[in-house]
């Protein structure tokens, strides 16, 4: 799991490695909503969260075709800080 902030665009780029063929989602602790991630290569899920780059953590979850979810993974956001 990687999360990189872009303060100029107020976004966070998220990349999750996992089992292929799942659905993947990312969310921000303390904020409502979750953002779908796209499987861009087998087992590699990516997405851009349109949120303020000041967010400090991202949580990601994979869900298989049966509907079972993986254990949530949390990571600190890296990258640019807002001015």
């Amino acid at each position: 799991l990687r999360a990189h902030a872009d303060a100029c665009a107020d976004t966070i780029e998220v990349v999750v490695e996992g089992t292929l063929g799942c659905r993947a989602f990312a969310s921000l602790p303390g904020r409502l909503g979750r953002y779908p991630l796209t499987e861009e290569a087998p087992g590699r899920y990516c997405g851009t969260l349109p949120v303020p780059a000041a967010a400090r953590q991202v949580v990601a979850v994979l869900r298989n075709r049966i509907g079972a979810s993986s254990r949530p993974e949390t990571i600190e956001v890296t990258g640019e800080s807002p001015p």
Side-chain angles (χ1 to χ4, degrees):
L1 172 60
R2 292 187 309 260
H4 182 80
D6 180 345
C8 293
D10 283 340
T11 61
I12 298 174
E13 300 290 328
V14 177
V15 178
V16 179
E17 304 283 340
T19 305
L20 64 98
C22 291
R23 292 183 351 191
F25 302 92
S27 61
L28 299 167
R31 298 202 178 157
L32 296 176
R34 63 183 186 175
Y35 302 89
L37 305 176
T38 302
E39 188 170 15
E40 294 185 353
R44 181 181 171 92
Y45 302 87
C46 305
T48 301
L49 282 60
V51 295
R56 297 284 179 232
Q57 292 184 325
V58 171
V59 177
V61 175
L62 298 179
R63 182 169 293 147
N64 67 19
R65 292 178 186 158
I66 300 170
S69 295
S70 67
R71 185 189 70 197
E73 292 187 48
T74 303
I75 191 166
E76 298 293 319
V77 175
T78 64
E80 303 173 18
S81 298

